[in-house]
Amino acid sequence: MIFQIANALLLGGYYALIAVGLAFMMQVMRVINLAHGTLAILAAYAIWLLADRLDVVPFGGALLVLPPMALLGWYLQRFLLERSARGGELLPILSTFGLSIVLDNLMFQQFGADTRSLSPFIGDLAWASYELPGGIFLGKVPVWILLAAILVIGALQAMLARTALGRRIRATALDPVTAEIVGIDARKTAAAAAALATVTVGLSGLALGLRGTFDAYSGAPQLLFAFEAAIIGGTRSLWGTLAGAMILAFAQTIGAMIHPQGFLLGGHLAFLAVLFARLFALDEALRAPFRRPSQDERTNA
Amino acid sequence: MTASAPDMRVDRSTKATRIGLWAMLAVALLLAVAPWYAGAGVINRLTALCVYVLLAAMWNALAGYGGLVSIGQQMFFGLGAYATIRLSEAGVDPFVAVALAGLAVALLSWPVSLVMLRLRGGEFAIGMWVLASVSHLLVNLDPLIQGETGRSLVALNAYDTETRRLMVFWMALLAMLLVLGLLAALLRSRLGLAIQAIRDNEEAAGSLGVDAFRTKQVIFVLSAFGIGLAGAIWLASATSFQPKTYFSVQWTAYMIFMVLVGGIGRFEGAILGACLFFLIETWFAATGVWYLIGLGATAMVFSLYLPKGAWGAIGLRLLPFGYSVTQGNGDRT
């Protein structure tokens, strides 16, 4: 029992890491990138290639892969999201979905149907663990992933709250036109936010590869996990996303305990339950993170 | 130009729409008698074409008219097929089961709409995807389906192959015409005006007294009905049901491709998109992965550079939706 709780906690750490980039873009830039999971797989393959062909340890490989990921995020915003957003709020969904189909199948073309993992490249570390009092063993890598998720969320929150870039991002998110008036380059700011989000996606690709296996079509389930964690967590702060990731992981663990095929179903049902509760809750406080401003509020503002 | 000009007329139909309507009828008639001049292989392909038109028209209704982009429409496709299996195992004639399956899916989509339509934009899109995944997992739990093992529509064996092929083809054609007719009637009704007002600006429409939620619900249920029917017909044509194939997100990807390329929000666009997809599939499906890469890339290029699609670029109005104003000298405005 304690073993399962510990494992759910660590799994939640991975979900938090994959969800934080999506939640950041949803909360701050108000867009959902449907290629989010696919980009994590792309990073995982890049790190795998470096390890397999050039013997670069995955942690070093990630350091090499993260800058190109940031650049990718920047250009994704400038050339795909920005351009398609001009045609309305629905087109970015379609263009990023198209991108995910292209990338998924290109990766399948390149790497085939075999599942890959990064764990063979980290030696003994793959099964090394910390022993807690009471005979509980926690895998070192999953613990690091959980810590990395907490660190990334803390850093992003601090950046938003304290730095000049954070202020620019918040201003652009609130109202890009007014932000431009006070001298902010809204397009560059949006691209910088997308670059930051994509760096976290790269990190989660490393985490996925270290924790388990992936193949060319693993992007879609990662997108769904990230989305569920982000929605369960609400749109108030990225710490909510961490909580959402934990709830998702615990619901999946409970699902798996009830029925051998209940793992995914448990997570989905928790997501739907939270959605239902929030949409129909009478309690305004509960609804607030999910409610859009009504027309009156917008005119008054 | 003033509104008091005595020689101005507001028309639904123009010369082009009258020709277009007659051409559509002629094509429908030609298709209906296809079994008398086409071989078995052609009939099978035409069945697929009817299903594609059905899927494209329904995704277009949802996105193009309702402003609702869903990545989870495979949910209704899979459930339509599953309902057919279940009904036929309960002793219903398989062809009756196909029709009933469409209704069953429409019935189920009503409570679903109550929750999902409260989500906006991308949240609705992926929320539907999650629901599709839930439906897939739940169907897998059915002991009759046995997970990914699946089940065949065994009751079809009561009919010989040729009868089966013709029945499925005519059902597909009938379903396509019925659903296109329903959509056309809906768009020309008072509700259709509301639908297009909501698509253009939901808040402005709301301030004019349009009940956006109810209107979207009607489109959502119609879309579920059409796609459920399409899934049921696909099953009757393929006979074997494997949850993985029917609940695959690929179906929604095809719908998006057809509508984006054909012309989102244009009745004729969805039909054109389905025909184009049908041709591309016929020629390139054998190239496997590259075919899928091409579809995704084309969809991306259209959403970036030609968001109105091929029909939007042509800009012709072949079917009598909306109005046109004619002045005495014949200028259309």
Side-chain angles (χ1 to χ4, degrees):
Chain A
M1 187 68 193
I2 291 177
F3 170 76
Q4 272 142 338
I5 291 175
N7 267 324
L9 206 68
L10 296 179
L11 179 62
Y14 165 68
Y15 288 155
L17 197 56
I18 181 95
V20 66
L22 192 79
F24 182 71
M25 289 298 277
M26 278 166 73
Q27 291 177 13
V28 178
M29 303 316 297
R30 308 269 152 84
V31 293
I32 296 185
N33 173 9
L34 265 70
H36 183 85
T38 297
L39 291 179
I41 306 302
L42 187 70
Y45 269 122
I47 297 167
W48 178 84
L49 264 185
L50 285 171
D52 190 59
R53 304 284 148 82
L54 303 170
D55 294 322
V56 181
V57 186
F59 301 103
L63 285 181
L64 291 177
V65 166
L66 290 184
M69 286 302 284
L71 213 63
L72 188 66
W74 178 282
Y75 284 112
L76 191 74
Q77 170 67 30
R78 287 305 283 264
F79 291 110
L80 202 82
L81 290 172
E82 193 187 295
R83 177 173 264 280
S84 52
R86 270 184 248 148
E89 61 165 340
L90 298 179
L91 277 177
I93 304 173
L94 300 178
S95 58
T96 52
F97 186 59
L99 177 68
S100 75
I101 294 173
V102 171
L103 289 179
D104 283 353
N105 287 292
L106 276 177
M107 288 190 289
F108 181 79
Q109 173 72 23
Q110 193 60 41
F111 300 105
D114 297 337
T115 56
R116 308 281 188 206
S117 174
L118 296 176
S119 59
F121 305 104
I122 53 171
D124 293 344
L125 194 59
W127 50 85
S129 55
Y130 298 110
E131 187 182 355
L132 294 190
I136 307 159
F137 289 91
L138 296 178
K140 277 190 180 175
V141 169
V143 168
W144 293 355
I145 291 171
L146 173 61
L147 292 177
I150 294 171
L151 231 109
V152 165
I153 291 175
L156 278 178
Q157 286 287 30
M159 184 276 298
L160 279 176
R162 302 236 162 79
T163 67
L165 176 65
R167 280 192 293 278
R168 283 204 294 274
I169 289 177
R170 278 183 294 143
T172 308
L174 273 175
D175 188 343
V177 179
T178 313
E180 293 262 6
I181 292 172
V182 295
I184 294 169
D185 187 339
R187 295 172 62 202
K188 267 194 186 147
T189 308
L196 277 174
T198 316
V199 167
T200 72
V201 174
L203 266 181
S204 57
L206 170 71
L208 175 67
L210 289 175
R211 276 189 66 97
T213 60
F214 57 92
D215 64 42
Y217 296 116
S218 301
Q222 309 312 312
L223 169 70
L224 291 193
F225 294 148
F227 176 73
E228 288 177 328
I231 291 288
I232 294 173
T235 53
R236 262 198 198 137
S237 111
L238 294 175
W239 293 115
T241 310
L242 180 64
M246 290 299 164
I247 293 173
L248 178 66
F250 274 93
Q252 288 179 336
T253 307
I254 293 167
M257 283 161 72
I258 294 172
H259 191 280
Q261 268 131 42
F263 180 80
L264 290 174
L265 209 49
H268 290 331
L269 292 181
F271 163 77
L272 291 175
V274 169
L275 205 60
F276 200 80
R278 231 182 244 147
L279 290 173
F280 295 99
L282 295 171
D283 182 2
E284 267 301 300
L286 241 175
R287 285 181 71 152
F290 215 69
R291 213 178 38 118
R292 317 259 146 178
S294 71
Q295 200 178 3
D296 297 342
E297 283 167 308
R298 250 183 251 171
T299 358
N300 293 339
Chain B
M1 188 190 337
T2 55
S4 61
D7 51 354
M8 280 179 72
R9 257 195 3 255
V10 178
D11 283 318
R12 273 227 186 255
S13 55
T14 62
K15 202 170 179 183
T17 67
R18 276 190 290 274
I19 296 171
L21 214 57
W22 282 111
M24 282 259 314
L25 277 174
V27 171
L29 255 168
L30 262 176
L31 281 175
V33 298
W36 280 280
Y37 59 82
V42 175
I43 294 300
N44 283 341
R45 291 300 294 153
L46 286 178
T47 306
L49 176 62
C50 289
V51 170
Y52 293 158
V53 171
L54 199 51
L55 291 177
M58 292 298 93
W59 199 84
N60 189 32
L62 203 59
Y65 294 113
L68 296 161
V69 167
S70 160
I71 308 290
Q73 293 308 93
Q74 67 273 19
M75 166 184 177
F76 301 121
F77 193 80
L79 286 176
Y82 171 67
T84 311
I85 292 265
R86 264 289 168 196
L87 283 166
S88 114
E89 293 280 338
V92 180
D93 177 87
F95 293 111
V96 179
V98 167
L100 287 180
L103 290 174
V105 171
L107 209 65
L108 178 80
S109 72
W110 183 259
V112 170
S113 74
L114 290 175
V115 180
M116 297 313 285
L117 289 181
R118 286 170 205 275
L119 299 179
R120 307 286 301 256
E123 290 164 2
F124 173 79
I126 311 186
M128 287 299 296
W129 198 348
V130 171
L131 266 192
S133 175
V134 169
S135 323
H136 180 183
L137 292 166
L138 286 177
V139 165
N140 272 358
L141 290 181
D142 186 336
L144 181 72
I145 305 300
Q146 293 177 47
E148 294 301 343
T149 317
R151 179 94 183 165
S152 284
L153 194 57
V154 278
L156 270 182
N157 291 336
Y159 299 86
D160 69 275
T161 325
E162 201 46 41
T163 318
R164 212 153 71 190
R165 186 184 344 270
L166 291 184
M167 286 289 280
V168 172
F169 169 64
W170 276 321
M171 278 200 88
L173 183 65
L174 200 68
M176 178 188 87
L177 293 175
L178 170 80
V179 172
L180 284 183
L182 272 176
L183 182 62
L186 185 70
L187 290 177
R188 279 177 63 116
S189 71
R190 192 185 151 80
L191 203 66
L193 216 57
I195 289 168
Q196 289 171 43
I198 292 167
R199 178 199 52 189
D200 293 340
N201 188 333
E202 184 168 338
E203 280 168 6
S207 72
L208 291 172
V210 173
D211 185 344
F213 195 81
R214 287 275 154 210
T215 315
K216 283 184 182 178
Q217 246 182 334
V218 172
I219 307 178
F220 187 85
V221 171
L222 174 69
S223 169
F225 170 68
I227 292 173
L229 209 52
I233 291 167
W234 197 261
L235 171 70
S237 163
T239 67
S240 72
F241 175 70
Q242 279 174 307
K244 215 183 202 159
T245 337
Y246 283 78
F247 285 103
S248 163
V249 71
Q250 210 113 79
W251 289 106
T252 297
Y254 293 159
M255 295 180 219
I256 292 176
F257 173 85
M258 294 188 277
V259 173
L260 263 181
V261 170
I264 194 163
R266 303 293 301 254
F267 194 91
E268 304 94 328
I271 300 174
L272 174 71
C275 294
L276 287 174
F277 174 72
F278 175 77
L279 291 178
I280 292 169
E281 194 203 23
T282 311
W283 291 328
F284 298 110
T287 59
V289 174
W290 286 109
Y291 160 69
L292 295 172
I293 294 170
L295 287 186
T298 314
M300 223 165 76
V301 167
F302 268 85
S303 69
L304 288 177
Y305 297 99
L306 264 175
K308 287 186 173 151
W311 199 265
I314 298 169
L316 196 63
R317 209 164 55 93
L318 276 188
L319 291 171
F321 298 108
Y323 299 90
S324 66
V325 180
T326 323
Q327 261 190 310
N329 56 12
D331 286 343
R332 262 183 62 199
T333 46

